[in-house]
Each structure stands twice: as C-alpha cells, then as structure tokens.
Amino acid sequence: MSTWGGHGLRGSTLEDMINRTNEAYRKNGLALIQKIPTPITPIEMNRNRQITLAYFDQKSTVDYIGTVQGIPVCFDAKECATDTFPMQNVHRHQIEFMRDFVSQGGCSFFIIFYTARNKMYYLPFSEMLHFWNRMEEGGRKSFRFEETENMIPLRRSGEYLCHYLEGIAAEPEQE
C-alpha cells in the first residue's frame, strides 16, 4: 500500500513544472489539461486538519487528461534517476487506458524526466508500448536511454515550464 509521504509523491518537481505549463497553456488558449487527482483515504490528521498519513484508494489511470486545440490527450509523468527506465514504473491499467484512448482518436504519451541528466523527454505511447510488449514477451523489464529513438527532447523555459506541445506536434499521426 502506498502512503502519503512515501513513494507516491515521487515526481512532484516534474509535476509542478507540468502544472505550471498547463496553466500557461490555458491562459494562452493553447490547451486545457487537468491533473487527475489520485483518490486517498486519510488515516491521520493533525490539529489543523491537515492530512499527515493516508493511503491511496484505487489505481489511477494517467496523471493528466485534456484537449490541445481539439486533440484529446492523456499522459503520465515519470521520473528516472538513471539512464535505465524500469518498466515496473508503468502499470498494466495505464497501458490499457492509453491504448483505449488512442483507439478513440486521442493522443497518449509519457513525459520522462531523467534526473541524472536533468533533461525531460516526450515519449510517444507507441514507443512505450513497444517496450511494454517486449517485457510481456519475456524480454527486458526496462529500457535504456539509448534505445529510445523516438524520444523528443523538451525545451525548458526558465525553471518551471516544459513545452510538451512540441512533442505532440512532432509526433507522426497515429493510425
């Protein structure tokens, strides 16, 4: 069981950058992207009624969902401390949701922050699906940075913004 204050809040720096970017996109009329909150059940609260311990009620689908100039999008934000991304960071229910989303005409992708490199990348769902299928067929349970030919570097503006709309624009149309 994941708990508030445990591993469930990894990636909050990346998510903060994405949240700021989403707000800038909204203000400029470029996109409307919402962070999907993960439902939690509080266990302990302090005197100020702040949650100090909780557990996650259920699996969430993806971190973000919305629309970019008429294109439905969903994506997940992941951090990786090394050049090898463990596939255990991606869950079956996320792959299934993203696959269904793409089949309905949407665009699914991952934003991966390689913390050791201090670089962010846009990884199309089709590329992650390749690694997922390889794992499911008994292959590697991770992928190396060098294997990701279709990963698109994301520019950073200042300290907070990452421009993932560039990734959507550069991605080839999905069939």
Side-chain angles (χ1 to χ4, degrees):
M1 165 178 61
S2 295
T3 58
W4 191 269
H7 293 291
L9 292 181
R10 287 180 298 187
S12 59
T13 301
L14 173 60
E15 288 188 359
D16 184 52
M17 284 187 269
I18 293 170
N19 291 340
R20 290 174 190 261
T21 301
N22 289 341
E23 183 59 22
Y25 286 167
R26 186 193 63 75
K27 284 181 180 176
N28 291 309
L30 297 172
L32 180 60
I33 308 291
Q34 295 283 304
K35 169 82 173 96
I36 303 297
T38 303
I40 63 168
T41 297
I43 297 173
E44 293 178 10
M45 296 176 81
N46 66 17
R47 282 186 258 176
N48 297 328
R49 305 225 5 106
Q50 294 173 320
I51 298 170
T52 56
L53 182 64
Y55 69 88
F56 295 105
D57 286 338
Q58 57 186 315
K59 299 173 184 173
S60 63
T61 52
V62 292
D63 290 333
Y64 296 90
I65 196 163
T67 184
V68 176
Q69 299 176 7
I71 301 168
V73 298
C74 74
F75 64 95
D76 212 68
K78 304 288 186 188
E79 284 193 18
C80 184
T82 66
D83 280 1
T84 301
F85 183 91
M87 291 303 294
Q88 70 185 18
N89 291 348
V90 179
H91 305 285
R92 179 174 308 283
H93 66 275
Q94 291 176 312
I95 292 293
E96 290 170 357
F97 181 85
M98 290 177 138
R99 182 183 289 132
D100 291 346
F101 199 86
V102 168
S103 74
Q104 292 294 319
C107 178
S108 298
F109 57 94
F110 291 83
I111 293 179
I112 301 179
F113 182 29
Y114 285 93
T115 56
R117 291 176 176 257
N118 195 29
K119 294 190 181 219
M120 286 179 282
Y121 292 89
Y122 174 102
L123 182 68
F125 173 70
S126 59
E127 185 87 355
M128 183 65 82
L129 188 58
H130 164 76
F131 297 123
W132 179 267
N133 290 338
R134 179 176 74 182
M135 177 192 71
E136 290 286 291
E137 294 166 0
R140 289 180 52 102
K141 293 177 175 38
S142 63
F143 62 86
R144 292 183 305 275
F145 179 83
E146 298 80 29
E147 290 183 83
T148 55
E149 298 171 5
N150 295 323
M151 214 162 39
I152 301 166
L154 295 174
R155 291 184 308 121
R156 293 173 74 171
S157 174
E159 180 123 89
Y160 301 104
L161 300 179
C162 59
H163 302 284
Y164 60 83
L165 290 183
E166 295 171 6
I168 295 170
E171 187 174 334
E173 285 194 34
Q174 299 173 7
E175 297 177 14

